Amino acid sequence: MLHEEFMSLKETGQKGSFLLPFVVSRTVLPDFYTTFPMHWHNEMEIVYVEEGEFEECINFEYYHVRKGDIVIVNPCVLHSFRQYENERAVFKTIMFDFNMLTGNAADASSIKYFNPFLEGNYLSPKIISPDDSYYYELKECVLEIISTHSKHVNFFEIKIKSELYRLFFVLFSHFFECRNGDTIIKDSTTRNIKIILDYIGENYAKPITIDELAEKVNLSKHYFMRFFKKYMGMTCIEYINDYRLNIAANLLVTTRMQITEVAVSIGITNLSYFNRIFRKKYNMTPKEYRSSVDKTNI
C-alpha cells in the first residue's frame, strides 16, 4: 500500500507515537507505484532488502541495491528510490527519531558520538552488503529490531531501544569514520534542492510556475531549469507531475473520490491531460488502475 509520506515532501508527520517515535514499514515494488520521489525527514532511516533489487538515490548519488543489502539514510538527507528495470523488490524500513536515544541528555554517548554524528562529523556508508566485514553482526541487530517491533510482546519498547543502542555500537565500532576537522560546511546545492522540493510539497495542489520556484532560491529561470535537471535527473515539470501522480495513485487506492476530484486535488483541472500523463506513468488509465488494485484486494 502507498506510504502516507507521498502526501508531503519534507515528511513532517509523526513517525510512530509521541511515546515511541519509531516505525517499521514494508514496501513492495512495483505494487501500486514504481518510484518514491526525492524527499527528506528528520528521522534516521535504515532499510533491509528482503527480496529483489532496486535503485536508491542518496544525496544525488545512485546505488544499485540488492537482496540482503542494508541502506543507511541519515537524518535530513535527500533520498528517493525507484524500481530497477522490471525487477520486483521487497524491503523493510526502520525509521525513528533520535530523541529516543539522546533524550536531550548531556551524557558521554550524546556528547562524544550521537551529537557529532547528527552534526555530520562522522562519515557513514550508504549501502552495507553481505561482502562487507561485520555485515552479519549489523544484520542481526536490524532483524532483531524488526522482529521485536512486529511481535509487540511485553516490554518491547525497552527491547527496541536497547537494540538501537546495540546497532549504533556496531555502526560506530566498524562502519562510521570520524571526519577530520570540527566544522562541516553545509552544501548550498542540497539546501536549495530542499527549499524547492519543500515548496512543491506544500503547493502541489495549485498551479506552480518555474518563475516562482527560481525566485525561491534566487536563481534565473534559465539557470534554475539547468540546475534542477542536473541534480534531479529530470525536468522540474516532470518532477512535479511525478510527485502529483504518486499522490493521485494513493488517493485512487485509499479513497472512493471521483477521478475528476482526484485530478483537481493535485492541481490538475484538465481531465484529459491528467489521464494522459497518468497512462504514461502507469501504463493504464486512472479507472483501470483503481480496478486493478481493487481486484488484488478481493
Side-chain angles (χ1 to χ4, degrees):
M1 188 171 182
L2 285 174
H3 296 296
E4 293 180 359
E5 284 79 2
F6 276 132
M7 303 307 292
S8 64
L9 178 71
K10 180 179 183 293
E11 299 174 344
T12 55
Q14 189 177 56
K15 307 301 183 295
S17 64
F18 175 76
L19 294 178
L20 186 67
F22 173 98
V23 292
V24 175
S25 60
R26 181 175 183 266
T27 300
V28 180
L29 297 177
D31 287 10
F32 305 146
Y33 62 95
T34 58
T35 62
F36 197 111
M38 192 74 77
H39 63 290
W40 64 284
H41 40 69
N42 294 324
E43 294 80 13
M44 181 90 174
E45 183 174 312
I46 299 173
V47 177
Y48 175 71
V49 185
E50 295 183 326
E51 300 176 26
E53 52 192 308
F54 63 96
E55 283 190 337
E56 178 96 17
C57 179
I58 303 175
N59 268 349
F60 314 117
E61 293 186 16
Y62 281 92
Y63 300 89
H64 188 178
V65 186
R66 298 173 174 84
K67 179 179 178 180
D69 286 351
I70 297 170
V71 183
I72 306 293
V73 182
N74 293 343
C76 302
V77 169
L78 288 165
H79 58 289
S80 65
F81 61 79
R82 65 190 181 193
Q83 184 183 16
Y84 176 73
E85 296 182 348
N86 293 317
E87 295 293 326
R88 183 176 185 270
V90 180
F91 51 92
K92 294 280 182 63
T93 301
I94 298 168
M95 194 179 298
F96 61 92
D97 190 320
F98 244 89
N99 284 329
M100 282 186 65
L101 304 181
T102 61
N104 296 318
D107 62 6
S109 295
S110 295
I111 293 172
K112 295 175 66 176
Y113 309 115
F114 290 127
N115 290 342
F117 168 73
L118 292 172
E119 291 168 2
N121 291 325
Y122 276 90
L123 293 170
S124 60
K126 307 297 189 299
I127 311 295
I128 301 171
S129 301
D131 292 338
D132 293 325
S133 299
Y134 304 102
Y135 162 83
Y136 289 98
E137 188 175 354
L138 182 66
K139 176 185 173 181
E140 181 183 345
C141 295
V142 171
L143 293 184
E144 186 64 29
I145 291 170
I146 293 171
S147 174
T148 300
H149 180 266
S150 67
K151 292 176 181 177
H152 273 57
V153 298
N154 289 339
F155 319 116
F156 79 96
E157 298 94 339
I158 297 175
K159 177 67 171 174
I160 285 175
K161 195 167 184 176
S162 69
E163 288 297 332
L164 284 174
Y165 278 119
R166 183 162 76 103
L167 181 142
F168 274 95
F169 172 76
V170 174
L171 288 173
F172 277 108
S173 299
H174 305 302
F175 296 102
F176 290 172
E177 179 182 348
C178 189
R179 292 177 184 263
N180 293 322
D182 296 326
T183 60
I184 303 299
I185 299 174
K186 295 295 182 182
D187 187 342
S188 61
T189 297
T190 299
R191 184 177 63 250
N192 284 341
I193 290 291
K194 286 182 177 179
I195 291 171
I196 296 164
L197 300 189
D198 283 352
Y199 187 82
I200 293 171
E202 293 167 1
N203 296 278
Y204 68 86
K206 59 186 181 183
I208 300 175
T209 67
I210 300 298
D211 286 320
E212 63 188 288
L213 290 173
E215 184 179 349
K216 286 291 177 183
V217 289
N218 298 314
L219 298 176
S220 69
K221 179 179 179 179
H222 179 67
Y223 183 81
F224 170 81
M225 289 189 294
R226 289 192 299 147
F227 169 84
F228 194 95
K229 179 69 179 292
K230 176 181 178 180
Y231 290 103
M232 297 297 291
M234 63 180 75
T235 68
C236 190
I237 297 302
E238 288 171 339
Y239 176 85
I240 293 171
N241 282 341
D242 192 62
Y243 185 86
R244 286 170 166 166
L245 289 174
N246 281 323
I247 295 172
N250 187 23
L251 293 174
L252 289 170
V253 172
T254 60
T255 76
R256 302 317 299 174
M257 292 172 62
Q258 296 294 319
I259 291 174
T260 302
E261 294 177 299
V262 171
V264 171
S265 73
I266 62 168
I268 300 176
T269 56
N270 186 320
L271 185 59
S272 63
Y273 175 71
F274 173 65
N275 284 328
R276 184 166 70 254
I277 62 174
F278 193 96
R279 180 189 284 274
K280 182 179 180 180
K281 178 176 173 65
Y282 293 102
N283 295 315
M284 62 182 78
T285 66
K287 183 178 180 180
E288 291 168 340
Y289 182 88
R290 172 175 274 169
S291 296
S292 68
V293 173
D294 286 344
K295 288 177 182 177
T296 63
N297 292 328
I298 295 176

